[in-house]
Amino acid sequence: MAAVVVAAAFLGGCFQPLYGNRTVGGQSTLHAELAQVDVAQIPAPNGTPESRIAVELRNSLVFGLTGGAGGAPATHQLKISITSTRLSVIVDIQSSRPDVENFGLNASYQLVEMKTGKTVLSDTTFARVSYDIPGQEQRFARSRALRDSENRAAKVIADAIQARLASYFIAKT
């Protein structure tokens, strides 16, 4: 019994929360390291739906990495490229119009260390979001459902990239 208590006390000091404000060894926190990532503008043709999605994704990432407090001097730059897809999943056989569609967003990203210019992390992620089209005559509802699904997909991508960056800064892999 005493050995279990001693082991628990010993191991209790070995772990720290991933997003904690202080570290056990006095190193910089994950928040500080994530805030030093500069998110580059995401290339997309002007006036296209992808340009709006690129802005949505970048804004979500900047807020997620800095917590809305503004960035610290950048040590890394995050470069992202995106592509999107739409697929009709269920089609009404009488009108040949889609009832359910699927929106897909693919992202490739690289984390570049600014001091050396070396790419330290390169990865891809994706999101697939389905949405209903309520009635065939409701064209605005279809447009709004598509826009909402694009925003949800951008948020899923931003969360996945942020989690991967957190993993990189903690484990350096």
Side-chain angles (χ1 to χ4, degrees):
M1 177 71 170
V4 172
V5 173
V6 170
F10 176 72
L11 290 175
C14 295
F15 298 101
Q16 66 186 35
L18 180 61
Y19 294 103
N21 291 330
R22 287 175 264 172
T23 62
V24 175
Q27 306 92 338
S28 63
T29 64
L30 180 61
H31 284 293
E33 292 191 49
L34 289 176
Q36 294 176 331
V37 175
D38 172 48
V39 182
Q41 295 291 332
I42 301 171
N46 287 338
T48 64
E50 278 193 348
S51 66
R52 192 194 63 75
I53 297 167
V55 170
E56 183 75 27
L57 174 59
R58 184 178 183 276
N59 288 346
S60 186
L61 267 170
V62 168
F63 184 79
L65 295 175
T66 65
T75 58
H76 293 80
Q77 185 177 44
L78 183 63
K79 298 177 181 180
I80 304 170
S81 63
I82 60 171
T83 58
S84 63
T85 60
R86 276 176 58 184
L87 174 67
S88 296
V89 178
I90 299 176
V91 177
D92 184 344
I93 57 173
Q94 295 186 341
S95 67
S96 297
R97 294 182 177 170
D99 284 335
V100 177
E101 288 187 331
N102 195 357
F103 176 77
L105 188 61
N106 302 320
S108 299
Y109 57 96
Q110 297 84 34
L111 184 65
V112 178
E113 188 175 45
M114 294 180 82
K115 185 190 291 185
T116 63
K118 178 182 162 192
T119 300
V120 294
L121 173 65
S122 182
D123 207 350
T124 60
T125 188
F126 67 93
R128 300 291 180 263
V129 181
S130 63
Y131 59 98
D132 295 334
I133 302 166
Q136 299 303 326
E137 287 75 35
Q138 297 183 22
R139 295 178 195 263
F140 177 75
R142 179 181 186 190
S143 297
R144 187 65 223 187
L146 173 60
R147 186 173 182 149
D148 289 344
S149 69
E150 291 169 346
N151 291 345
R152 286 192 322 249
K155 179 66 175 147
V156 168
I157 295 288
D159 290 345
I161 291 174
Q162 185 177 345
R164 181 62 181 103
L165 292 178
S167 172
Y168 168 76
F169 284 117
I170 292 297
K172 301 296 183 201
T173 59

